[in-house]
Amino acid sequence: MDKNFKEEFTQIIKFEPPLYKQRHQFVRDLVEKYKPKKVADLGCADCSLLWMLKFCSCIEVLAGLDICANVMKEKMHTLSPLPVDYLQPSERSLTVTLHHGSVAHKDPCMLGFDLVTCIELIEHLEESELKKFPEVVFGFMAPSIVVISTPNSEFNCLLPRVMLYRHPDHKFEWSQAEFQSWALETARCYDYSVEFTGVGHPPTGMEKVGFCTQIGVFFRKYPQTGESVQSEKPMEAVYKTVFKAVYPSLKDEKYLQNAVISEVIFTAQIIKHRLMSKREEYSDDPERKSKFQPSMDCFSDYLGKLVVEKNMEPFVSGNEVYIPLRTIFSFPKVNRLCGTFEKLCKLIAGKVTLSSDGSAVMFNIEHENEEN
Ligand code: SAH
């Protein structure tokens, strides 16, 4: 390569966004496209990719593995649920686990994943580890998709300050041909197909060097059968779990119950408020008051097109306001949370004050009447 040409580029190559962010975004896009439920990140280092992935709503199980426990521990607290996760539990369940161990060893906790990511990992493996890696990832874990990224050594000539490798811990860096021949052979051995791409475009005129980071996306060709997982003879766990977080989820009955109770009370309060304001309006006019019938009109805007039966109307009797549970159940959010009317009744039983026959939420308005 022309020396001046090279110097010109080595001065200006700066990726925006930074390359590590482009790699993580690449994985995120893949997750959005294929919607895996269970994702494992091998060589997860400071957990920054895992942190990004916890916001992907399709993921229910996230696992990280690294041979260096300290690097994982540095920021693993960022994977813990926040107060807001408890205040507003999500509809999906999410468990995040970090394991300390090597990709050269098999552990049953790594079975059953849909997507396995190995971002800038393989170049850190010793020769003996790299030899075992395909059997562990493609043979044993056998996820539907594997993503492997690694530096493209052909790009190094454009990077300032890179003498041999980009990082002192790298054991090798491969050219495009070297990576592709390893990847194709691995895919062939384990019945996967592989597509090559990358992030970090070369400058115009230098397209031949390829992407700065080369990426192989492997797709398992055979369908995963329950049998292949079960046929694995029981094996010993060799990884050490260093972190586990179970996020609050509405799939857990105790969080669902809290959410339903709050939503039922909130909805009932809105209906009651509408009813009382309407009543007040009428109370100024004795003639209208005598004709006052609390009707669905006063909150029809909340009910939209719902078909309302007579027994769904809220009513006032003495100092009590009654909001039928059927009416509350017809509100979309309550309906979605509970699924069935029976479930609604079950979840709020004993937690919300109801009429004697249990068909309506009851509020005492004696105090409110006094205030008025
Ligand atoms: N994947 C991260 C960073 C990778 S750096 C990212 O995208 O930013 C490589 C990581 O692999 C390091 O954290 C290193 O500790 C880990 N590693 C090296 N050898 C390993 C092995 N045999 N098993 C598991 N992790 C390993």
Side-chain angles (χ1 to χ4, degrees), residues 95-361:
T95 304
V96 186
T97 317
L98 296 179
H99 305 281
H100 176 217
S102 169
V103 289
H105 300 134
K106 297 176 184 173
D107 186 297
C109 73
M110 283 290 150
L111 290 172
F113 285 88
D114 304 308
L115 169 67
V116 168
T117 57
C118 310
I119 304 303
E120 306 298 272
L121 164 70
I122 57 171
E123 65 278 9
H124 291 265
L125 303 180
E126 301 284 355
E127 205 180 326
S128 61
E129 294 174 314
L130 183 68
K131 260 206 184 113
K132 293 179 185 153
F133 173 86
E135 173 51 26
V136 175
V137 175
F138 295 90
F140 173 70
M141 297 177 71
S144 326
I145 306 176
V146 180
V147 186
I148 297 182
S149 85
T150 193
N152 165 18
S153 64
E154 287 164 81
F155 201 101
N156 288 356
C157 62
L158 298 174
L159 299 172
R161 291 187 296 273
V162 171
M163 301 313 284
L164 178 62
Y165 297 142
R166 295 183 196 173
H167 190 277
D169 188 51
H170 287 181
K171 310 299 185 298
F172 61 88
E173 284 177 5
W174 279 335
S175 65
Q176 296 170 88
E178 286 169 319
F179 175 55
Q180 291 183 14
S181 102
W182 176 86
L184 286 166
E185 178 55 17
T186 303
R188 192 193 57 76
C189 258
Y190 294 95
D191 208 8
Y192 279 67
S193 62
V194 56
E195 290 171 9
F196 298 102
T197 178
V199 291
H201 281 275
T204 315
M206 297 294 292
E207 288 78 6
K208 231 177 50 207
V209 300
F211 290 105
C212 189
T213 295
Q214 47 186 340
I215 298 176
V217 185
F218 300 74
F219 297 91
R220 196 186 58 221
K221 288 195 203 162
Y222 59 95
Q224 181 71 298
T225 59
E227 279 160 45
S228 61
V229 171
Q230 282 157 23
S231 68
E232 291 287 342
K233 40 185 184 320
M235 64 186 317
E236 217 189 308
V238 290
Y239 298 164
K240 190 171 166 245
T241 303
V242 292
F243 174 90
K244 183 166 180 175
V246 179
Y247 277 65
S249 155
L250 295 176
K251 291 213 171 99
D252 180 334
E253 188 104 341
K254 85 170 177 261
Y255 293 111
L256 177 66
Q257 185 175 44
N258 284 342
V260 168
I261 292 168
S262 323
E263 200 55 35
V264 163
I265 293 173
F266 175 72
T267 308
Q269 290 277 13
I270 288 177
I271 299 172
K272 187 195 88 176
H273 180 75
R274 283 289 166 124
L275 183 66
M276 300 312 284
S277 337
K278 198 81 179 171
R279 213 168 163 242
E280 235 170 74
E281 239 177 66
Y282 277 81
S283 70
D284 299 338
D285 177 344
E287 199 183 322
R288 289 174 80 198
K289 188 180 181 184
S290 66
K291 288 187 202 141
F292 174 71
Q293 281 293 325
S295 86
M296 294 310 288
D297 291 350
C298 42
F299 49 93
S300 56
D301 47 338
Y302 285 95
L303 292 171
K305 295 190 205 108
L306 290 167
V307 179
V308 174
E309 294 162 19
K310 191 82 180 142
N311 68 356
M312 287 175 74
E313 291 189 7
F315 60 94
V316 182
S317 169
N319 284 324
E320 257 95 43
V321 179
Y322 295 88
I323 320 288
L325 282 177
R326 286 273 173 203
T327 309
I328 295 171
F329 182 65
S330 61
F331 275 63
K333 188 152 180 208
V334 179
N335 197 289
R336 192 163 43 83
L337 282 171
C338 305
T340 63
F341 183 69
E342 290 63 38
K343 184 93 191 231
L344 164 67
C345 297
K346 188 178 155 229
L347 288 169
I348 63 167
K351 304 284 180 185
V352 176
T353 311
L354 297 179
S355 56
S356 55
D357 67 352
S359 70
V361 170

